[in-house]
Amino acid sequence: MTRPAPRRTALAAAASLALAALLAAAVPAAASSSAAPSAAVLAAPDIPIANVKTHLTQLQSIATANGGNRAHGKAGYKASIDYVKAKLDAAGFTTALQTFTSSGATGYNLIADWPGGDTSQVLMSGSHLDSVTAGPGINDNGSGSAAILETALAVSRAAFQPAKHLRFAWWGAEELGMVGSKYYVNQLATADRAKIAGYLNFDMIGSPNPGYFVYDDDPTIEQTFKDYYAGISIPTEIETEGDGRSDHAPFKSAGIPVGGLFSGADYTKTAAQAQKWGGTSGQAFDRCYHASCDTSANINDTALDRSSDAIAYAVWSLSAATTPPPTGTVFENTTDVAVPDNGAAVTSSVAVAGRTGNAPSTLKVGVDIKHTYRGDLVVDLLAPDGSAYRLKNSSSGDSADNVIATYTVNASSEAANGTWKLRVQDIAAQDTGYIDSWKLTF
Ligand code: DTR
Ligand code: ZN
Ligand code: ZN
Ligand code: CA
């Protein structure tokens, strides 16, 4: 685009292009270690270990009757899904089987929703139900599957009606690379992903030589589990080698807050760990990991009992109402983003969390862009689902500096929670600038 010779100023070198870290999507404030647990949390029921063990006995019987395993694509897996689904249907859950194909075989995810609660704030708990082909997979991962099943049944027995909507999931083909959980997350529309306030993962929680590991992902979820174990005087450690190794990974990649528990697999228990947890140092947490001996004898009942009760505590705690931040809450990004002269558009993001429902019809968008010829600039707001709202068009005659303005956008058709972006493009040669800061006020 040609224009009268512009005033030319040398702008400072492009500012750092690093985008601000997204604001951590907060999961509801759980009982913090300093505060006493709330009444809701105190109401979390004890999960009867006998009931959890009964589920494991059933899964063992299923494996025994089906070639010794419950692996993806085998009869034992489908029989396991049918067992869990029947229990949930009888308890009043709304269940759905999600099918997918992996390695030429049909896979199944079981999704169970507990009616009620705010469906724009979903608390999910999940475990993979498949075993490896080598064995019945009672610890890996009958333990997690049975524990969340019994927690779901406890929700039904209690006729629990939390503020948030509860969803439970049993994943297929985790052992093939988290295939089922990846399929589920990929199938979720962006708006539906934003509704998941947190995902709790339980994969191996009854190891025979147990450790007590807590995932170090979302801080609120992590603290909730730590609070539970502190309450029963069991020290915990951070699960460090679990990143990407179980079904929380696809949720984490989608920006959903995650957490979970783990009692150990093929790594060796150290002397220091044996000192605090008991058990045998120098021996794997689970010597039957991915082996035929991962049978119903391969479970430490105390660890499974504690883990199951911790799950109930977390479900009761994290499904309580989140006190939404007062209106007028500002979500801001102050990291500079260089706008290439007459070049590609750039974006700057803010993560909105803790809201309920949709954005307001008068969403305020504050913009501060430093530039020496603002007529070059086109500016848009992008909603979490990608919808674009034009804030400013280019204008060849507008040679003034900077775009410092507040725009009002009717964003009432957009889910409030999620990652919003400011998109800026310089569409004319000469003169350039950078995004100095921008903010959304809800
Ligand atoms: N990959 C899981 C077991 C596993 C190994 N390390 C971790 C850490 C955190 C969770 C799970 C795991 C499996 O074999 O199913
Ligand atoms: Zn495994
Ligand atoms: Zn597993
Ligand atoms: Ca320019």
Side-chain angles (χ1 to χ4, degrees), residues 1 3 341-343 371 375-377 425-431:
M1 172 182 297
R3 327 178 246 94
D341 181 25
N342 192 21
H371 199 282
D376 288 3
L377 298 179
Q425 187 170 16
D426 177 332
I427 53 93
Q430 301 175 41
D431 290 280

Side-chain angles (χ1 to χ4, degrees), residues 128 140 174-175 203-204 215 239 241-242 245 262 289-290:
H128 75 86
D140 182 18
E174 185 273 345
E175 301 290 5
D203 182 356
M204 300 180 73
Y215 293 11
E239 165 45 45
E241 45 95 23
R245 292 194 62 173
F262 179 55
Y289 176 60
H290 285 187

Side-chain angles (χ1 to χ4, degrees), residues 315-327:
V315 168
W316 259 252
S317 171
L318 293 169
S319 61
T322 310
T323 313
T327 52

Side-chain angles (χ1 to χ4, degrees), residues 2-263:
T2 57
R3 327 178 246 94
R7 200 167 25 83
R8 300 204 50 71
T9 54
L11 272 182
S16 148
L17 279 174
L19 283 180
L22 295 180
L23 296 176
V27 173
S32 70
S33 54
S34 54
S38 68
V41 178
L42 291 176
D46 172 77
I47 300 299
I49 182 62
N51 294 7
V52 180
K53 296 277 286 182
T54 297
H55 302 315
L56 293 183
T57 301
Q58 287 293 328
L59 295 178
Q60 176 64 63
S61 301
I62 287 168
T64 303
N66 291 283
N69 69 69
R70 298 179 306 100
H72 164 73
K74 307 291 187 187
Y77 178 73
K78 184 61 168 59
S80 301
I81 279 278
D82 292 344
Y83 169 77
V84 175
K85 185 177 187 298
K87 289 287 183 187
L88 294 162
D89 288 339
F93 281 81
T94 304
T95 60
L97 274 182
Q98 181 182 49
T99 60
F100 58 88
T101 301
S102 181
S103 304
T106 301
Y108 301 88
N109 292 328
L110 174 60
I111 312 299
D113 284 89
W114 179 242
D118 178 357
T119 53
S120 75
Q121 296 187 83
V122 179
L123 180 66
M124 274 193 86
S125 300
S127 290
H128 75 86
L129 186 56
D130 62 310
S131 75
V132 291
T133 53
I138 299 306
N139 186 37
D140 182 18
N141 183 38
S143 61
S145 296
I148 65 168
L149 171 58
E150 192 55 31
T151 300
L153 298 179
V155 164
S156 174
R157 289 193 293 266
F160 185 41
Q161 280 302 319
K164 291 182 177 54
H165 180 77
L166 296 179
R167 180 172 299 153
F168 296 83
W170 289 262
W171 306 118
E174 185 273 345
E175 301 290 5
L176 281 71
M178 299 166 285
V179 177
S181 54
K182 283 177 184 171
Y183 182 81
Y184 174 81
V185 174
N186 291 339
Q187 292 297 307
L188 275 180
T190 305
D192 290 332
R193 290 183 190 176
K195 294 174 182 173
I196 301 179
Y199 172 73
L200 314 180
N201 192 62
F202 306 102
D203 182 356
M204 300 180 73
I205 59 171
S207 304
N209 187 24
Y212 294 90
F213 298 97
V214 176
Y215 293 11
D216 64 339
D217 289 293
D218 177 78
T220 301
I221 299 175
E222 177 184 343
Q223 191 58 51
T224 301
F225 286 120
K226 283 179 171 176
D227 285 350
Y228 178 76
Y229 279 108
I232 58 170
S233 305
I234 297 293
T236 55
E237 286 186 10
I238 289 305
E239 165 45 45
T240 50
E241 45 95 23
D243 268 0
R245 292 194 62 173
S246 192
D247 295 302
H248 57 301
F251 289 86
K252 184 174 182 178
S253 301
I256 294 166
V258 303
L261 298 174
F262 179 55
S263 55

